[in-house]
Amino acid sequence: MLSSHHCLVSEMGFAKKEYEFLSEIGLGPDNPGGFINGKWKASGPVISTVNPSNNQQIAKVTEVSIEDYEEGLRACNEAAKTWKSLPAPKRGEIVRQIGDALREKLQHLGRLVSLEMGKILAEGIGEVQEVIDMCDYAVGLSRQLNGSIVPSERPNHMMFEVWNPLGVVGVITAFNFPCAVLGWNACIALVCGNCVVWKGAPTTPLVTIAVTKLVAEVGSKVQKIVNERFGKCLLELSGNNAIIVMDDANIGLAVRSILFAAVGTAGQRCTTCRRLYLHESIYQSVLDQLVGLYKQVKIGDPLEKGTLVGPVHTQASRENFEKGISTIKSQGGKILTGGSVMESDGNFVQPTIVEISSDASVVKEELFGPVLYVMKIKTLEEAIELNNSVPQGLSSSVFTSKPETIFKWIGPHGSDCGIVNVNIPTNGAEIGGAFGGEKATGGGREAGSDSWKQYMRRSTCTINYGSELPLAQGINFG
Amino acid sequence: MLSSHHCLVSEMGFAKKEYEFLSEIGLGPDNPGGFINGKWKASGPVISTVNPSNNQQIAKVTEVSIEDYEEGLRACNEAAKTWKSLPAPKRGEIVRQIGDALREKLQHLGRLVSLEMGKILAEGIGEVQEVIDMCDYAVGLSRQLNGSIVPSERPNHMMFEVWNPLGVVGVITAFNFPCAVLGWNACIALVCGNCVVWKGAPTTPLVTIAVTKLVAEVGSKVQKIVNERFGKCLLELSGNNAIIVMDDANIGLAVRSILFAAVGTAGQRCTTCRRLYLHESIYQSVLDQLVGLYKQVKIGDPLEKGTLVGPVHTQASRENFEKGISTIKSQGGKILTGGSVMESDGNFVQPTIVEISSDASVVKEELFGPVLYVMKIKTLEEAIELNNSVPQGLSSSVFTSKPETIFKWIGPHGSDCGIVNVNIPTNGAEIGGAFGGEKATGGGREAGSDSWKQYMRRSTCTINYGSELPLAQGINFG
Amino acid sequence: MLSSHHCLVSEMGFAKKEYEFLSEIGLGPDNPGGFINGKWKASGPVISTVNPSNNQQIAKVTEVSIEDYEEGLRACNEAAKTWKSLPAPKRGEIVRQIGDALREKLQHLGRLVSLEMGKILAEGIGEVQEVIDMCDYAVGLSRQLNGSIVPSERPNHMMFEVWNPLGVVGVITAFNFPCAVLGWNACIALVCGNCVVWKGAPTTPLVTIAVTKLVAEVGSKVQKIVNERFGKCLLELSGNNAIIVMDDANIGLAVRSILFAAVGTAGQRCTTCRRLYLHESIYQSVLDQLVGLYKQVKIGDPLEKGTLVGPVHTQASRENFEKGISTIKSQGGKILTGGSVMESDGNFVQPTIVEISSDASVVKEELFGPVLYVMKIKTLEEAIELNNSVPQGLSSSVFTSKPETIFKWIGPHGSDCGIVNVNIPTNGAEIGGAFGGEKATGGGREAGSDSWKQYMRRSTCTINYGSELPLAQGINFG
Amino acid sequence: MLSSHHCLVSEMGFAKKEYEFLSEIGLGPDNPGGFINGKWKASGPVISTVNPSNNQQIAKVTEVSIEDYEEGLRACNEAAKTWKSLPAPKRGEIVRQIGDALREKLQHLGRLVSLEMGKILAEGIGEVQEVIDMCDYAVGLSRQLNGSIVPSERPNHMMFEVWNPLGVVGVITAFNFPCAVLGWNACIALVCGNCVVWKGAPTTPLVTIAVTKLVAEVGSKVQKIVNERFGKCLLELSGNNAIIVMDDANIGLAVRSILFAAVGTAGQRCTTCRRLYLHESIYQSVLDQLVGLYKQVKIGDPLEKGTLVGPVHTQASRENFEKGISTIKSQGGKILTGGSVMESDGNFVQPTIVEISSDASVVKEELFGPVLYVMKIKTLEEAIELNNSVPQGLSSSVFTSKPETIFKWIGPHGSDCGIVNVNIPTNGAEIGGAFGGEKATGGGREAGSDSWKQYMRRSTCTINYGSELPLAQGINFG
């Protein structure tokens, strides 16, 4: 069912005792990075995967070669023929078993996500839980991939709208959610009748391999991999998400939400809050509270209890942060707190608040770290206009206690994002809703609602079961 | 609401008495081609629109200039702000009035479509009827553009899926359906809360102008025009549609369907049948019947009673037909009937049947005229594989009396087209179903089902109305 | 399509010149009350229909006999066979024509509703408009009566959920909405494929006959009548609807809403507000404003401009009002304004406000006139408990500006009614939503949403198109 | 969560060694029959539960008293308040755990169903599997109990259709499906937010108790019981189901289906086939094959491998069979095979085929055992008329290979049953479809599709978030 770019040359035992839990989820110090036609296999270069808290090696992984990949593709296309013949509820039963296998290893997998990606343990476990939730959700869905029977204007005719599988679906995931995004896509794609080719992020190969091992042990029917060219493309690109706080907001709720939205996952979610619009009447008071909180936030080893901010994912991320701060300053941004990288072997940076003009061009771009731009607004209309003024359109929140504001915000004159929240942070979506955004964000939708339709092709079928040939719109011909 | 590329310099009266009915639908011998900010206006070059049956001028049209277009865009963006504020059922009421205005002029408009495009009168009237049907359909839809309320996993939270208008929608239509495709798109786009910019085909400006005049008289609220860059793109590209006739088919039904599908509209529908797969056991018999019918088909003035095949739309189309026949011959195709253009001032060509190998490369391309390729098949599986072997995926039909064949054909191992028919032709869709195709055909859907969602943007809204901040997936933060 | 209990013996001309507009909608001084098998016919007793503003005769009507009724039933059962064979969109086209016929006579029909029922002209016209809206809505619906295609757990099986017509549907309507309730039911029942038997209220026969005439002229295909025993029963029974005003409400909006909800249609809607719960902090102020407004309300001829309260419908209604006031007093109710019938030939009563304990038993009953009980509340929870404490469960409103209150009110711990409003009156529903109530109100739903399913029977169809016999749940048998 | 009428006075050990597996699922020789407010408790009379294969006692059960019942009701109403506050996906998680607990004991529970009810082991296990399937299905559903957001015709208004729990739901199940019917209802009722009171059949108390124990161990949050008076009633009453075999049917498929449908579960399913309509051209041949098969069917201990027909459930059932055969004979029925009870301590009867006139009145009634009436038909129309001529309307099947027959059968002129099958037996439904029937069968629907709506109450909510008061239908008031 899946693959990765990475693999190993063997050694004895893990470098550190604290990594030994990895053997519980099928990992060793050296790991082949491809699961191809039911076998672990990889003949490409060997790489190291590192702990972003200290940039030291966790384990080695051998990447797959082009030949490995092509072999996998062939096998997967073969497997697709039988998988789509299996009734959907039977496919759902297999996805249920995958969920159960993940549930059994929830703690270990969550720990691995935290270790290799750098997010705090609560978030690592939460991410694996999200994959499990998706499995459970997809089981019920496998009996509800309903087509429609549409009344025909012609006698003795029936119109059907039928949904059929696409065949093979490719999922390419990024480092910041090394398994949740697979879960959103693969669970639904599988019950829809597709085979799935997974390419995980180059810097989180252990998560990719561990999840694949669990799936492979269980789902002997889904063990193939591949792909060629995809007919459909579902993109989730960047976000540049804003929170608006109105004068009538519950300020305590707003401040805690902003903190989670801006520094959670070290600012590396596509739904991280990067822009904060504060009503002028509460501007200074909210800002003071935020700066106070930022100074107390515990930064450090994500696996340690109490840590709220772990390292950014790679050394390159840390360098990118430094460059970003320099650009911000050159555009007139005023650093209220943070603004530096930290002295450490790991990739730690300070959560940062910047006071800046909404005209500054950096505000329109996504800096992938814990940097928050704060701006002052006078009216809801002004705030909505600024919210909508960036190229991205993923997530957005307003804090308010007025129904007028709520319904304006979610209506035709409101936020133009795909995710429009009220009194909660921009990040932390539930799987039951559709996840995704408009404009430069890509337009796709994942997880709940009718997102499953993106994994299927639709046919409008008209069946004439009579012996006459009436034409639509009452046309006579011949 | 709409515009065209074309316009006039004034003269006295129509060239022919038979064109005088055009004054009943607001047309004169000279016509400005742009309806901009509520006024008819055009300052570009003057062109002639011609009758494809004789290539003589019907009337003159002045095209819009770039400046006209930009003025229109600005006006339309302004209008969009108020149009989307109008409640959807009120927008529906205006679309109902448009439908009534078209209904009153059905005969005249249908005659104009036939005259300017070249399709037979029954089809011209049928096309206008389709726009009227869409108006009626959209009225009910204006009370059913439903979002969803989704159960949240967090206490005191509600999730909404809300649909909001896109703003301005552009519709570019082709000559072969000079008004129906506008109807599919504009009726739904309007009730969804969008303004519409219409660019009709360069060779059917009178239809564009006449329909716009009727809409403009009625819908004083929708009279603006424009566009800039569209965030979404809904494409309907080419088709290369096959009919399969199995040994157990009702042959009479099949033969009449093939005739309509292959020669109707002189083979210029995107759903025209271009490939015919006949089971070997009925191959010769069906072919004999078809060749017999082709020889009797009346070709001529589309407005005359009894005509089944009018001219192709332009002189360029006729030349394209000639080139196509020559390529067919060079690839081993055997002309069983037809194969020539006709001696005439008009653009008449002979409906043509070609016996050819399914390996010939011309079979994979769309020749936009009345040319049908016939091939022999032995099994349903072989036929489906051939049906699916072209880059396009719009429409397809099987003729059979076996339930196994029907359900296999519409299932995961069946046709990969967007329109999958049984015992009816490939062309002649009803508006209640979704219209469109997969693969190179583009993937969009128009008219019925949930096609309206393509004209709106979707927000997943989560509202926290309590005073706590529980996180999704049970995450603890801080 | 419909019938009534009433009919005529002929005379010359109408008694008053102001009734002559009735001839424009097909009525005369004497009218046969049954439309049976395509003919107007009635052989029962002759009755008079009277103007409730003066209790004088408007016209005479001959009622149908039992034999007439049975003849009608037979004809209708015959007609049902062909009506259900007509494709649904074709049925929709006929309903569209009915809507157009009503639209043309909107002013006259509205005037007749006002004259014969006694509601003010704006409401009479609004009621006919609602029937027209239902027709427009049903046209679109006729292409959306969708069944479902459900994934089967068995290979080579398909499951369908198919909706088929019931056959003949009977609609019995009450005097207070002499045509709107027919519209809710008949428009949907007809596009669903049913024939409709209508029995209008005994005291509004002219509305019944006039609407039937308009339908009969147009819909030559739907002109039959009948029924026997209905398999399904959709009841709309009594309401006893409350408005709650919280301390944070927009008081101006609340006061105007209460006035419309309590005295509109002289308190004779099933959605009329009969109970008013005011938060203690705004209790006296709201009450003072209401009493002031009640004293200024213009009572009189409903056809006169400026009138807000017409007569109650019959002399019996007036007597019932008097009895009710007497019971109220005996249970400790204090009349703040109104409380008497008026000196007049017509059935006029005073709009009345009563201060009373929420324990009084009259508060749990529906007094069908303009009587409003006012009670004091301290918390939202108390108000919801009182709102839910009556046997009826039709409509309810809260006035508030707090999101917490809104979402609690519409949630599992909120109002138990079928109609749950915020910041609008209890009456005045739109057709796009489902109309109806829970508990003693009956549980049925009319008009929008999926109410159409109540007019159809549902089949779960499983089709095995393979040649094996796998059993559900994987059972082996034999 | 549930209760039963039955209970125990203690003894030492089970009477037979083969019953010892019961201790694995929490049963002993003496069992209290009520689970009330989290405790096992019962103070009513003691009864015995017997094995229908030999009428000997399996174990003893103490029934609950009226006082026990009332205590349970009070506790359940209390519990309902907190259960409905739990977010739906959290309720889904608990139902998932219930499914897992049942899955672990699948073999034992299936064995108990077979032992106590008398159906063969494959069916006993299949029945428990169906409960498990329902649990899995309900988990996904818990995120899809969607309301709607409906466009309002009034500016600054939103209409919602919201679904809220009913509160407490009572489920009374019959002996023939001692746990599956609980599963259909309880799984959905629970995720919908209701508490459930279960009263199992008096003759299958051990199944009731064992399932309750498994649920109680797991779902500490759902352990209360009760009920009072239900606002809604969902009835599944009798069936009298027909199979039609046309001349073009796959006869092998038809014969095996009839055997399973008529003798499976010893003819004690509500979906058992009781009427067989054979086309005259294949009448004798099908009948000969059936009689041959009936004579070979193995009757005996349902737990034994190879048995196809176990005992009927009680001695009363056996007597009822004898009376039925006598009535059949008195009405002219001719016994082709079977027709007698068997010499045995158990309740065994012979599977019976009767040739009879379709006018005989017994044919319209449901004889709850393995008796099949066979009749001859000439046309599909005649067969459909006979199929529809009984008061019941649950299930029905046609065997055919013609599309015309299939689509006529499922259309407006076809079967009037709730379950309409093609080429499969009348029994053996999947959970993904809606289960239930029309006419005297009751009209309710259980399991899949939108059946969940029967467990909730619907509110149409309109929210005015502006400061104006526009009225629906454009009415002006005051």
Side-chain angles (χ1 to χ4, degrees), chain C residues 85 152-154 161 164 410 412-413 415 418 420 422-423 430 434 445 449-450 453 457-458 460-462 464, chain D residues 85 152-154 161 164 410 412-413 418 420 422-423 430 434 445 449-450 453 457-458 460-462 464:
Chain C
S85 296
S152 168
E153 71 188 47
R154 290 171 275 187
E161 184 166 274
N164 282 310
I410 71 176
H413 298 278
S415 168
V420 178
V422 177
N423 296 336
E430 295 187 27
R445 287 297 185 281
S449 181
D450 65 353
K453 294 184 178 174
R457 59 185 175 77
R458 173 202 315 237
T460 303
C461 306
T462 307
N464 175 8
Chain D
S85 295
S152 168
E153 69 188 47
R154 290 171 276 186
E161 184 167 273
N164 281 310
I410 71 176
H413 298 278
V420 179
V422 177
N423 297 336
E430 295 187 28
R445 288 297 185 279
S449 182
D450 65 353
K453 293 185 179 175
R457 61 185 173 78
R458 173 202 316 235
T460 304
C461 306
T462 307
N464 175 9

Side-chain angles (χ1 to χ4, degrees), chain D residues 175-187:
Chain D
F175 76 87
N176 58 343
F177 282 91
C179 67
V181 174
L182 174 77
W184 293 352
N185 286 280
C187 294

Side-chain angles (χ1 to χ4, degrees), chain C residues 65-390:
Chain C
S65 64
I66 293 289
E67 292 72 26
D68 294 337
Y69 172 71
E70 284 177 351
E71 182 189 345
L73 282 180
R74 280 189 302 274
C76 197
N77 275 329
E78 264 322 293
K81 291 181 192 163
T82 48
W83 182 245
K84 72 178 167 186
S85 296
L86 208 62
K90 302 291 182 204
R91 299 190 297 245
E93 168 60 16
I94 289 169
V95 171
R96 191 192 63 74
Q97 292 172 22
I98 293 173
D100 270 0
L102 294 168
R103 188 175 274 116
E104 205 182 320
K105 301 291 185 184
L106 170 61
Q107 295 297 325
H108 286 329
L109 282 170
R111 193 166 193 85
L112 169 59
V113 169
S114 179
L115 174 69
E116 193 177 35
M117 186 278 162
K119 62 178 64 174
I120 65 173
L121 186 56
E123 289 190 78
I125 291 171
E127 180 174 349
V128 180
Q129 182 60 48
E130 196 162 347
V131 183
I132 296 168
D133 288 351
M134 279 304 304
C135 288
D136 293 345
Y137 180 78
V139 179
L141 197 62
S142 73
R143 290 187 190 268
Q144 298 170 305
L145 302 165
N146 288 10
S148 299
I149 302 172
V150 184
S152 168
E153 71 188 47
R154 290 171 275 187
N156 295 326
H157 282 56
M158 264 187 135
M159 289 210 296
F160 294 155
E161 184 166 274
V162 175
W163 294 92
N164 282 310
L166 294 172
V168 177
V169 166
V171 180
I172 300 173
T173 57
F175 76 87
N176 59 343
F177 282 91
C179 67
V181 175
L182 173 78
W184 293 352
N185 287 280
C187 294
I188 295 184
L190 284 170
V191 296
C192 284
N194 303 292
C195 285
V196 174
V197 183
W198 181 21
K199 186 191 160 312
T203 52
T204 55
L206 295 184
V207 175
T208 307
I209 293 171
V211 171
T212 305
K213 290 215 163 179
L214 279 169
V215 170
E217 271 169 35
V218 176
S220 60
K221 288 194 185 140
V222 281
Q223 92 248 93
K224 305 285 173 62
I225 329 174
V226 182
N227 200 18
E228 227 167 334
R229 31 159 201 156
F230 308 129
K232 284 192 174 185
C233 194
L234 187 167
L235 288 177
E236 290 302 334
L237 305 173
S238 59
N240 183 353
N241 316 294
I243 289 178
I244 297 167
V245 186
M246 296 304 293
D247 51 348
D248 56 298
N250 175 332
I251 298 296
L253 206 63
V255 167
R256 276 181 296 137
S257 296
I258 295 162
L259 184 72
F260 176 56
V263 311
T265 329
Q268 297 170 107
R269 291 188 182 215
C270 53
T271 53
T272 289
C273 175
R274 310 198 179 283
R275 296 180 291 143
L276 178 62
Y277 297 104
L278 300 173
H279 190 270
E280 55 182 5
S281 70
I282 46 87
Y283 181 83
Q284 201 54 51
S285 136
V286 170
L287 212 45
D288 291 348
Q289 290 184 50
L290 275 177
V291 170
L293 277 174
Y294 265 61
K295 292 194 168 151
Q296 294 163 29
V297 158
K298 186 175 164 196
I299 306 167
D301 183 345
L303 289 165
E304 246 176 53
K305 210 174 139 85
T307 299
L308 285 190
V309 179
V312 293
H313 186 55
T314 60
Q315 289 177 308
S317 308
R318 189 173 61 171
E319 283 158 26
N320 199 41
F321 173 87
E322 282 187 294
K323 270 185 232 156
I325 294 293
S326 150
T327 310
I328 285 165
K329 287 176 178 165
S330 76
Q331 294 188 10
K334 185 177 156 199
I335 309 291
L336 299 186
T337 184
S340 307
V341 301
M342 300 177 77
E343 293 289 319
S344 156
D345 288 341
N347 310 318
F348 295 98
V349 306
Q350 292 177 332
T352 301
I353 300 179
V354 177
E355 203 169 30
I356 196 165
S357 157
S358 56
D359 296 333
S361 69
V362 277
V363 175
K364 312 241 168 187
E365 292 152 22
E366 184 185 38
L367 176 54
F368 214 64
V371 177
L372 181 68
Y373 303 114
V374 190
M375 289 150 289
K376 198 179 289 185
I377 48 102
K378 291 187 173 161
T379 62
L380 179 65
E381 288 67 29
E382 181 194 1
I384 291 173
E385 197 175 323
L386 287 167
N387 177 74
N388 294 357
S389 69
V390 299

Side-chain angles (χ1 to χ4, degrees), chain A residues 85 152-154 161 164 410 412-413 418 420 422-423 430 434 445 449-450 453 457-458 460-462 464, chain B residues 85 152-154 161 164 410 412-413 415 418 420 422-423 430 434 445 449-450 453 457-458 460-462 464:
Chain A
S85 296
S152 167
E153 70 188 47
R154 290 171 276 186
E161 184 166 275
N164 281 312
I410 71 176
H413 297 277
V420 179
V422 178
N423 296 336
E430 296 187 27
R445 289 298 185 279
S449 183
D450 64 354
K453 293 184 178 174
R457 59 185 174 78
R458 175 202 313 236
T460 303
C461 307
T462 307
N464 175 9
Chain B
S85 295
S152 167
E153 69 189 48
R154 291 171 275 187
E161 184 166 273
N164 282 310
I410 71 177
H413 298 278
S415 166
V420 179
V422 178
N423 295 337
E430 296 188 27
R445 289 297 185 280
S449 183
D450 64 354
K453 293 183 178 174
R457 60 186 174 78
R458 174 202 315 235
T460 303
C461 307
T462 307
N464 174 10

Side-chain angles (χ1 to χ4, degrees), chain B residues 315-334:
Chain B
Q315 288 177 307
S317 309
R318 191 174 56 172
E319 284 158 25
N320 199 41
F321 173 87
E322 282 187 294
K323 272 185 232 155
I325 293 292
S326 148
T327 310
I328 286 164
K329 287 178 178 164
S330 75
Q331 295 190 8
K334 184 176 157 201

